[in-house]
Amino acid sequence: MKLTTEAKGKKMTCENSKCKQTGKVQRINEVSDSFPNLLFGMGNPLLDISAVVDKDFLDKYGLKPNDQILAEDKHKALFEELVKKFKVEYHAGGATQNSIKIAQWMIQEPHKVGTFFGCIGNDKFGEILKQKAEEAHVDAHYYEQDKEPTGTCAACITGDNRSLVANLAAANCYKKDKHLDLEENWKLVEKAKVYYIAGFFLTVSLESILKVAKHASENNKLFGLNLSAPFICQFFKDNLMQVMPYVDVLFGNETEAATFGKEQGFETKDIKEIAKKAQALPKVNKKRQRIVVFTQGKDGTIMAQSDKIETFPVIEIDPKDIVDTNGAGDAFVGGFLSGLAQEQQLDQCVKAGHYAANVIIRRAGCTFPEKPDFK
């Protein structure tokens, strides 16, 4: 799915009223000829280490067959043993990086449409992460430091189950003044037209998010944020609501949406109503109205824009064809972002998101075939 010369050069004189009728994303200023680095992401980079293990391995580290946890002291030796004892596969991971990677895959060419910032360790896993990002044609610019090792996520596979153990480590060490503020890095931020950050990064560097969000707002570019997890909506509510006025596209799933609605005192459990109320929250850039997109697993995806709320059915899939649902949300966002980057109609962005998610849940991890089959 390439951006045609016509799409690059055409001008959209779309006022808000017309955008409401057509469902188009308001023109992102001028699309520059230098299409690389048009999409910018910032978040927690993790090296996914995946391997088929046995029950004894799970029992040794107190793991459940199908669970997601943060690593504790008792899991420190797990990662090294996983690499030594089993045949492992490495993938560049982390929520935002996954979405940027998927968007790049959907767009295909040119390479390095997506830029990614995050913090890694100066170590072997960091080198693998850089290599994997390069293989995915993502323009990753990592802040490298020696205090903490590269963040990892162990995917311990037993049958159809995957026990995930995440060790954020270096991902927690991102510093605005040491990386984002550097002239050569900030130039990459300025080059972008579409921005995306998962809510997980609100726990790491609020000041970095705000700097990027304000830049997007002041220059009438698109800034997207994901609620990411119920605990973000609950325990990092203040950080989240500092960023919300700059959010043009808000993503989340039904569980996150319900928690967000409860924490915001919306007094409704209806996901459509929560989307509508989230869409109407105060916004700094008045030139474009907020779009809210809530996925609901196998149920339809809800999108609120202007005074319209729509539900889009997902692609049907036989349950026996589902290999791994982890990463489905990241993949949906990646597909959606690929549409935004190419100035597609919003319903086409949702369609691209559904396609990407459908591909990813048929495979182990957030992986994909060489080329997408999406039209």
Side-chain angles (χ1 to χ4, degrees), residues 102-244:
I102 291 289
Q104 178 66 61
W105 170 68
M106 289 286 286
I107 293 168
Q108 285 286 299
E109 292 180 1
H111 293 163
K112 298 188 176 181
V113 171
T115 310
F116 178 77
F117 285 5
C119 184
I120 62 174
N122 191 8
D123 52 25
K124 184 183 78 170
F125 283 167
E127 289 302 314
I128 295 172
L129 198 52
K130 285 191 281 187
Q131 179 191 335
K132 291 298 178 181
E134 191 173 330
E135 288 173 5
H137 307 303
V138 170
D139 194 14
H141 291 259
Y142 298 115
Y143 167 48
E144 299 180 50
Q145 48 73 60
D146 297 312
K147 290 184 178 178
E148 289 286 342
T150 296
T152 49
C153 181
C156 306
I157 304 165
T158 50
D160 293 335
N161 295 314
R162 275 153 189 80
S163 186
L164 303 179
V165 186
N167 179 27
L168 296 182
N172 268 328
C173 300
Y174 189 84
K175 302 294 181 188
K176 172 177 169 288
D177 59 331
K178 298 284 183 65
H179 193 259
L180 184 67
D181 291 344
L182 300 183
E183 185 179 356
E184 64 271 24
N185 290 333
W186 186 248
K187 280 181 179 177
L188 290 169
V189 177
E190 291 179 321
K191 203 173 176 183
K193 306 292 184 184
V194 180
Y195 303 82
Y196 173 70
I197 298 175
F200 293 120
F201 203 57
L202 288 164
T203 72
V204 175
S205 185
L206 173 63
E207 61 274 23
S208 295
I209 299 176
L210 285 171
K211 182 173 182 177
V212 172
K214 287 175 181 177
H215 167 80
S217 182
E218 289 165 4
N219 292 277
N220 196 27
K221 300 175 180 181
L222 275 171
F223 179 80
L225 184 78
N226 204 315
L227 295 176
S228 290
F231 81 85
I232 298 292
C233 303
Q234 292 171 303
F235 306 117
F236 293 89
K237 179 166 59 176
D238 290 345
N239 288 10
L240 176 61
M241 297 317 291
Q242 283 188 59
V243 178
M244 192 61 68

Side-chain angles (χ1 to χ4, degrees), residues 8-12 27-32 193 343:
K8 282 184 183 177
K10 71 180 181 179
K11 291 185 178 180
M12 185 196 300
R27 179 74 175 175
I28 311 166
N29 300 334
E30 283 297 316
V31 175
S32 83
K193 306 292 184 184
E343 300 189 332

Side-chain angles (χ1 to χ4, degrees), residues 184-374:
E184 64 271 24
N185 290 333
W186 186 248
K187 280 181 179 177
L188 290 169
V189 177
E190 291 179 321
K191 203 173 176 183
K193 306 292 184 184
V194 180
Y195 303 82
Y196 173 70
I197 298 175
F200 293 120
F201 203 57
L202 288 164
T203 72
V204 175
S205 185
L206 173 63
E207 61 274 23
S208 295
I209 299 176
L210 285 171
K211 182 173 182 177
V212 172
K214 287 175 181 177
H215 167 80
S217 182
E218 289 165 4
N219 292 277
N220 196 27
K221 300 175 180 181
L222 275 171
F223 179 80
L225 184 78
N226 204 315
L227 295 176
S228 290
F231 81 85
I232 298 292
C233 303
Q234 292 171 303
F235 306 117
F236 293 89
K237 179 166 59 176
D238 290 345
N239 288 10
L240 176 61
M241 297 317 291
Q242 283 188 59
V243 178
M244 192 61 68
Y246 305 99
V247 176
D248 297 301
V249 187
L250 180 68
F251 296 97
N253 64 29
E254 74 275 30
T255 308
E256 295 150 9
T259 305
F260 180 74
K262 182 180 178 182
E263 291 296 322
Q264 294 300 315
F266 286 167
E267 297 183 346
T268 178
K269 294 182 179 179
D270 186 280
I271 304 301
K272 287 185 178 180
E273 282 300 306
I274 293 170
K276 188 176 179 180
K277 287 178 181 290
Q279 195 264 343
L281 287 169
K283 194 168 181 298
V284 173
N285 181 9
K286 307 295 184 186
K287 293 179 181 177
R288 58 172 84 248
Q289 293 198 344
R290 182 178 293 118
I291 301 159
V292 177
V293 186
F294 288 150
T295 57
Q296 302 182 100
K298 61 180 174 41
D299 297 323
T301 295
I302 292 168
M303 181 166 66
Q305 53 157 328
S306 184
D307 54 355
K308 185 166 63 174
I309 298 181
E310 297 177 271
T311 303
F312 300 85
V314 301
I315 301 168
E316 290 188 14
I317 183 171
D318 190 318
K320 68 178 175 58
D321 292 330
I322 298 175
V323 174
D324 185 359
T325 57
N326 290 310
D330 298 340
F332 173 84
V333 172
F336 197 101
L337 290 173
S338 74
L340 287 181
Q342 296 175 103
E343 300 189 332
Q344 300 285 345
Q345 302 255 2
L346 287 172
D347 58 352
Q348 186 73 1
C349 293
V350 174
K351 186 179 176 183
H354 284 164
Y355 168 80
N358 186 267
V359 169
I360 264 59
I361 62 177
R362 296 172 186 269
R363 302 167 67 91
C366 192
T367 62
F368 38 79
E370 185 181 350
K371 291 186 178 180
D373 181 22
F374 177 73

